[in-house]
Amino acid sequence: MISIILLHALFATSIPIGKVLVGMSSPFFLSGVRMLIAGILLLGYQYFRKSEDFKLNKNHWWLYAQIMFISIYLKYILRYWGLNYLPSGKMSFLLQLAPFMVAFFSYLLFNERLTLKKWFAMCIAFVGLMPLLLAGSSTEPIRATFSFFLLPELAIIGSLVAHSLGLIAMRQLIRQHGYSAPMTNGIRMFGGGLLALMTSFAYEGFGTPVTNGPSFAFWLIAIIIISNIICHNFYASLLKKYSATFLSLTDFLGPIFVTIYGCLFLGECITWHFFFAGFFVFAGLYLFYSDELTEITKITVPQSSGVSTPRTAPAMTFKQK
């Protein structure tokens, strides 16, 4: 659990940094240049340090095409556009609907099922999020027409759908087909970034893409190193140990750090909604994780002990795959 907490403490910095960057550039250009540079760095590392793993099976190109387009291109364009209109803390909490998306798509694609205790844990976390999701913010512009979810919120929800589908496809490449995390991340970031840059040049032209070059370059390098290089590979490596749904549920830790960073560096205030959500999120996370540990223990009980153990692995763990 310490490694997961550290991961999200680092990952959370990408949202306030992204909010600074999107104020200097368009979502298309920002997504493209960030992902293209990160992809080149990761693929260069894979080629020069572990060239024996630098190989692709043509039968897996469809999975790579999915993660390029869905988990990079769509995800980050929608996320940056929505972030331009929402405070970082609220956006981060909206992204915490991801476990429900991952559970739904895992059920459809792999027939993976959750225990009643896990569903209860996720419902507790969702209840904790509702007051914050429905609360307004003094930093949000007034956007009439809709009274519940407006376009920026819908963009964030669309980005988490893309994240969930991409996570499942990425799991197949790493877990089932044996590709390394740097290789998989490098290809998806390079391809997705190239698509975003092509869209930027086609839609926005070849004019000046940023308003403050030196500041943009500094924060861009920071977000690439922290998020793309360190956190994405850290996250991918954890897929070998934890289930996709559980890792998505631990994303609930992200808003805790994002809200703190937003308060300290962006002047966003912390309301009672933050503490209410934090309590229920941690409660749901504890219940979910305790149930997962119980399932893993049942699987790994030695047969010689005389204890009758299940013949199949729990749906949402990777221990038997």
Side-chain angles (χ1 to χ4, degrees):
M1 284 297 292
I2 293 177
S3 60
I4 291 177
I5 293 173
L6 177 61
L7 168 70
H8 289 293
L10 290 172
F11 237 145
T13 62
S14 65
I15 293 181
I17 293 176
K19 192 168 182 66
V20 172
L21 285 169
V22 80
M24 304 178 190
S25 180
S26 71
F28 289 114
F29 182 80
L30 175 56
S31 300
V33 69
R34 173 189 170 185
M35 295 301 160
L36 189 64
I37 293 174
I40 291 173
L41 291 174
L42 286 172
L43 289 176
Y45 167 82
Q46 187 71 39
Y47 181 79
F48 290 107
R49 294 295 298 274
K50 296 184 178 180
S51 58
E52 68 276 5
D53 294 331
F54 200 88
K55 55 187 177 181
L56 294 175
N57 187 321
K58 63 180 181 180
N59 296 325
H60 302 150
W61 270 110
W62 171 238
L63 287 174
Y64 274 111
Q66 290 181 57
I67 62 176
M68 288 177 192
F69 184 78
I70 297 174
S71 70
I72 295 296
Y73 180 78
L74 282 180
K75 172 184 173 180
Y76 282 98
I77 287 176
L78 290 172
R79 178 174 296 187
Y80 282 136
W81 185 86
L83 181 58
N84 200 33
Y85 298 96
L86 294 175
S88 59
K90 184 172 184 179
M91 192 204 86
S92 183
F93 270 102
L94 276 170
L95 293 177
Q96 303 322 304
L97 296 172
F100 303 96
M101 297 291 181
V102 173
F104 176 71
F105 290 123
S106 293
Y107 173 77
L108 290 181
L109 298 175
F110 303 107
N111 197 31
E112 295 182 347
R113 292 170 291 178
L114 295 173
T115 65
L116 289 177
K117 186 175 180 180
K118 288 181 179 179
W119 280 115
F120 180 65
M122 295 172 72
C123 288
I124 287 177
F126 182 75
V127 167
L129 288 175
M130 288 309 296
L132 188 107
L133 297 180
L134 300 177
S137 171
S138 59
T139 62
E140 293 182 64
I142 297 176
R143 293 167 282 134
T145 306
F146 300 100
S147 60
F148 187 50
F149 284 131
L150 307 179
L151 289 179
E153 286 86 351
L154 289 173
I156 300 303
I157 291 175
S159 75
L160 73 89
V161 172
H163 167 76
S164 302
L165 291 173
L167 185 65
I168 291 172
M170 190 171 172
R171 183 195 66 174
Q172 289 182 269
L173 288 167
I174 294 174
R175 184 62 177 172
Q176 297 179 13
H177 302 304
Y179 288 101
S180 68
M183 181 75 173
T184 304
N185 274 316
I187 291 176
R188 76 183 183 114
M189 290 177 188
F190 180 84
L194 191 60
L195 286 174
L197 274 183
M198 292 170 61
T199 304
S200 174
F201 294 141
Y203 179 72
E204 299 161 346
F206 292 87
T208 304
V210 298
T211 57
N212 188 333
S215 181
F216 180 85
F218 173 80
W219 290 113
L220 179 65
I221 293 172
I223 200 172
I224 287 174
I225 293 175
I226 295 173
S227 180
N228 295 84
I229 304 300
I230 298 175
C231 292
H232 275 83
N233 288 292
F234 196 3
Y235 198 100
S237 66
L238 290 175
L239 283 171
K240 297 180 180 180
K241 183 178 180 182
Y242 300 99
S243 69
T245 300
F246 174 65
L247 280 182
S248 291
L249 189 67
T250 66
D251 288 349
F252 281 131
L253 296 172
I256 308 298
F257 295 106
V258 171
T259 306
I260 293 173
Y261 298 154
C263 177
L264 293 176
F265 305 112
L266 300 177
E268 298 173 356
C269 62
I270 299 178
T271 65
W272 68 268
H273 307 88
F274 165 79
F275 299 101
F276 183 85
F279 174 80
F280 280 90
V281 163
F282 275 115
L285 180 59
Y286 174 79
L287 287 175
F288 191 100
Y289 188 50
S290 64
D291 191 62
E292 182 140 308
L293 286 178
T294 300
E295 291 179 337
I296 293 173
T297 301
K298 288 180 180 179
I299 294 174
T300 56
V301 171
Q303 295 294 329
S304 60
S305 64
V307 179
S308 177
T309 57
R311 301 300 296 175
T312 58
M316 301 311 295
T317 61
F318 293 152
K319 294 298 183 180
Q320 299 296 315
K321 294 187 178 181

